[in-house]
Amino acid sequence: MSTVARITAPALRRLSFTFATDGSHAACLAAGADGGWYVESWRLSADGSATPSAVELAGRRSESLRSQLVALPDGRVLVCRHDGERHDLVLLTAGGPGAGIERVLASLRMPGLRLLPVPGSTPGGPVAVALGTDTRPTTTVWLVYADGSAPRQIAELPGLHGGGVWLDRTGRLLALDQVADGVVKSVALDLDLGRTTPLLEIAERSNDRLVLFDPQTRFAMVRSDAPGEDRLGWGVLGGAEPLRFPEALHVPGVFLRPVALHIGSSDTPRVALQIDRGAASALAVWERGGGRLDPLPVPPGRLGAVGHWSDSGLRMPYSAPDHPAALATLDVNALLGPAGLPSTRYDRATPRGWRLDGSAAPADGSQWHRAESLELTGPAGPIEAVVYGGEAWLSARHLVIALHGGPADAWRLEFDPALQRMVSTGLAVLAPNQRGSTGYGAAHAMAIRGAWGGPDLADLLHLLESLAGQRAALGLEPPALFGVSYGAFLALLTAAHAPAGLVSRCAVVAPFLSGARLLAEASAPVRALTTRLGGAQPIEDELGPRDVLALAHRLTTPLLVVHGGRDEVVPVSQSRSLRHELLRQGRIEGTDFRYVEAAGAGHELLAEEGAAVLHELLAAFLATGRPT
């Protein structure tokens, strides 16, 4: 496909949304059906509309999924492209097909670098702050300019500093989260002086972060564990009253995420909070001094955890299984009015006060397939799952159990091109959030800490036995398994330990063979993550070691293994070893199994350029079981 065709095709995925500080523009990474990523610049109009424009690079070049974006008030986009410890700062300006202007500003070398937009930027002034971290640990601060001037180093701060909330409208005072002696405290960085001063210190050993701030009213929203647990609170910085932690901002077992702040005509701050619980997102509004959260009746789906709230509306990224990611604009007052009362039906009419721009329809004029969440019975409690296939999903001719990666991740009610392709092929899909998945409280997420392939495998074997039994009673074949990354590891374990006849076929993408084998071959960041999650700790039970290579003799169902040749997370050597072991045991490649190594592809090969071909391959295999 040509670059022009790729860029002008409707975007099906969007990630990494960022808003200009004045709310006039936004930017994101976008990709069409083929998976080639590019930058989009969005114009956000005062009437509430939002219009995306692709910034097309010459030479068929795609952006990396790791690129960081900063939307500028004039519609240009500052991009930080990461390549190891090298970080290239590039300024993009939209043009016609193949005519995007790309200007390299500078390169910085640091183990880590991230950008923050500067408010109230003036001609010739800085447009962003760059925070670089190294292993000493030290945080180096630069001012980044769009006129081609070299970044100007303004500070070198001892320790690690994260966060980033502006304390004024001129871009001089910046609140950062400083990590020292295992404790996080917000400090104020004066960019003119290059020095920090304490900002929040509620208790000596409490973790205190500034989350949102309005320079006009000095209203501050904070997150702190000083009350004895992690809580949201509010106050007036510099005021006489102490910070308050109202019960309205505390929902046990639920993480409240402040995403945007708005000061109305009455100077009363209102805060939009995203509430993530399970597969879907909810949204609520809290008003300073209010004793309750007012829920907003947004359609079921997944919100993007970032936003900008102005008089034009509350803007947030949004996606649903039948709505590719786009930009939603919410008239909060209309949604809170009597006509905006929510309905419990997934297919309800669009509520008054809700607008979605940029969500693409299928190229053939049809509609995307819907999904819903339902609760299944697990061996240790309920398991929520996202299900494609309507009410008759269990009796569909073919059923796929899809397993997410992570392991600290979960299936969400959001658009997924790979699952859409499966459903278009006639497959029903059940995507469970077994133990180890996030979004269901700490106990559910931490259940597999130090036990990869323990409680989660038990959940899947339980589900598989139940579903296969019900389908057998209907004269239908057992479910197939599909998994990516950690989900691929889990799918292979499930296929190996399931009783004979309970798995029809198994397709895995970027699998590793065991926590210990991953620890031995992966990069330093992946090894650190594996160690922190206890992935290499052995499980001592009747199933024995969770080592796919040692269980290869039990993988008798038709098998498809797909891996990127340049996978930077799970080395391709993991899948190559599995292939060699299957051949050693006498399995016939092309008959008993198929191995596909995508040259040049990385870990996110189902979302990279050429992904549509792999989606087709996976869907066809899961429907037929034929390795070729």
Side-chain angles (χ1 to χ4, degrees):
M1 180 180 291
S2 70
T3 305
V4 173
R6 170 167 63 82
I7 295 299
T8 56
L12 300 184
R13 282 191 168 186
R14 291 185 171 102
L15 299 171
S16 306
F17 267 93
T18 176
F19 293 89
T21 54
D22 66 352
S24 63
H25 289 83
C28 69
L29 290 171
D34 77 332
W37 290 91
Y38 56 92
V39 171
E40 271 186 343
S41 176
W42 291 68
R43 181 175 179 78
L44 310 181
S45 301
D47 63 1
S49 62
T51 307
S53 298
V55 183
E56 180 185 340
L57 302 180
R60 297 200 55 167
R61 290 177 297 128
S62 296
E63 285 290 346
S64 166
L65 280 169
R66 296 178 296 166
S67 295
Q68 185 189 351
L69 312 181
V70 172
L72 302 183
D74 58 7
R76 294 180 297 174
V77 182
L78 177 63
V79 181
C80 182
R81 295 172 179 159
H82 307 287
D83 183 9
E85 295 192 358
R86 173 175 169 166
H87 312 278
D88 294 330
L89 304 178
V90 180
L91 190 65
L92 299 182
T93 304
I101 301 173
E102 182 179 16
R103 182 180 185 183
V104 178
L105 300 177
S107 293
L108 297 173
R109 289 191 174 274
M110 273 274 175
L113 190 80
R114 67 188 186 95
L115 302 178
L116 297 171
V118 172
S121 57
T122 58
V127 296
V129 170
L131 300 175
T133 56
D134 58 30
T135 56
R136 288 180 281 176
T138 297
T139 301
T140 306
V141 185
W142 292 271
L143 293 177
V144 179
Y145 299 84
D147 61 1
S149 302
R152 180 164 65 90
Q153 181 176 326
I154 60 168
E156 191 171 83
L157 310 175
L160 298 178
H161 292 72
V165 177
W166 289 101
L167 300 174
D168 62 5
R169 300 191 189 282
T170 62
R172 174 176 176 175
L173 298 176
L174 177 64
L176 296 173
D177 297 334
Q178 180 187 59
V179 182
D181 299 325
V183 175
V184 180
K185 300 286 186 185
S186 282
V187 297
L189 170 64
D190 187 317
L191 274 68
D192 284 354
L193 302 178
R195 296 199 301 263
T196 61
T197 54
L199 182 65
L200 281 179
E201 188 165 354
I202 303 173
E204 183 180 355
R205 295 296 298 175
S206 61
N207 294 286
D208 311 316
R209 299 174 176 88
L210 182 65
V211 179
L212 294 173
F213 183 72
D214 174 59
Q216 176 183 332
T217 61
R218 301 199 63 77
F219 169 84
M221 178 160 278
V222 303
R223 186 181 295 279
S224 174
D225 56 10
E229 59 182 327
D230 191 65
R231 299 278 295 260
L232 286 175
W234 71 277
V236 177
L237 284 189
E241 296 293 326
L243 293 171
R244 305 174 188 180
F245 294 87
E247 287 301 314
L249 294 175
H250 177 59
V251 181
V254 175
F255 185 77
L256 300 180
R257 187 192 307 273
V259 293
L261 169 66
H262 185 248
I263 308 297
S265 57
S266 63
D267 281 348
T268 300
R270 292 200 294 176
V271 177
L273 299 113
Q274 180 172 323
I275 305 168
D276 294 328
R277 177 68 181 176
S281 296
L283 198 62
V285 171
W286 175 82
E287 188 172 294
R288 183 183 64 185
R292 69 180 189 273
L293 293 177
D294 293 318
L296 295 178
V298 300
R302 194 72 179 173
L303 295 163
V306 295
H308 189 279
W309 196 353
S310 68
D311 291 340
S312 300
L314 170 61
R315 318 254 195 186
M316 292 188 69
Y318 169 84
S319 175
D322 59 342
H323 284 87
L327 200 56
T329 302
L330 289 71
D331 183 332
V332 173
N333 291 331
L335 286 167
L336 289 175
L341 293 176
S343 164
T344 57
R345 289 180 57 82
Y346 178 78
D347 58 349
R348 65 176 180 260
T350 301
R352 186 171 66 91
W354 169 271
R355 173 178 181 144
L356 189 65
D357 286 300
S359 189
D364 60 5
S366 62
Q367 294 184 338
W368 299 112
H369 299 280
R370 295 185 174 184
E372 61 183 355
S373 63
L374 56 80
E375 200 170 85
L376 304 172
T377 301
I383 299 172
E384 187 182 29
V386 175
V387 181
Y388 293 79
E391 295 181 357
W393 64 271
L394 183 58
S395 58
R397 182 181 178 188
H398 303 296
L399 173 63
V400 176
I401 299 177
L403 306 180
H404 64 74
D409 203 346
W411 291 110
R412 312 295 187 190
L413 278 172
E414 61 189 358
F415 187 81
D416 189 301
L419 299 188
Q420 284 286 334
R421 188 68 194 94
M422 292 178 194
V423 182
S424 296
T425 307
L427 302 165
V429 178
L430 176 79
N433 286 331
Q434 66 280 347
R435 280 178 286 177
S437 304
T438 56
Y440 301 89
H444 193 86
M446 299 290 287
I448 64 168
R449 177 68 63 92
W452 285 11
D456 48 0
L457 177 60
D459 285 352
L460 292 170
L461 290 173
H462 177 90
L463 289 178
L464 185 62
E465 184 174 358
S466 173
L467 296 173
Q470 294 177 71
R471 289 177 61 79
L474 298 172
L476 298 168
E477 68 174 17
L481 295 174
F482 163 69
V484 178
S485 192
Y486 183 90
F489 163 68
L490 196 55
L492 291 169
L493 288 181
T494 304
H497 286 293
L502 293 194
V503 178
S504 60
R505 41 201 162 269
C506 181
V508 294
V509 179
F512 60 88
L513 303 175
S514 71
R517 294 182 188 275
L518 180 63
L519 192 65
E521 296 185 2
S523 64
V526 177
R527 293 198 304 270
L529 176 64
T530 303
T531 301
R532 187 169 74 249
L533 297 179
Q537 295 181 24
I539 298 177
E540 310 233 349
D541 61 12
E542 67 278 4
L543 296 182
R546 296 336 194 244
D547 187 334
V548 173
L549 207 59
L551 296 168
H553 64 285
R554 301 188 60 172
L555 296 174
T556 56
T557 190
L559 177 64
L560 170 63
V561 180
V562 180
H563 213 123
R566 298 184 63 184
D567 193 322
E568 69 284 4
V569 177
V570 178
V572 67
S573 56
Q574 299 277 305
S575 285
R576 289 173 179 171
S577 294
L578 177 58
R579 173 180 177 267
H580 293 156
E581 179 61 19
L582 292 172
L583 291 173
R584 190 189 69 81
Q585 293 184 13
R587 306 294 174 81
I588 301 174
E589 187 168 1
T591 300
D592 299 320
F593 74 95
R594 182 176 179 185
Y595 175 76
V596 176
E597 189 170 308
H603 190 64
E604 301 292 339
L605 66 169
L606 294 187
E608 296 177 4
E609 192 163 1
V613 175
L614 296 179
H615 296 168
E616 182 70 30
L617 172 68
L618 289 165
F621 174 81
L622 289 167
T624 66
R626 290 192 293 271
T628 56

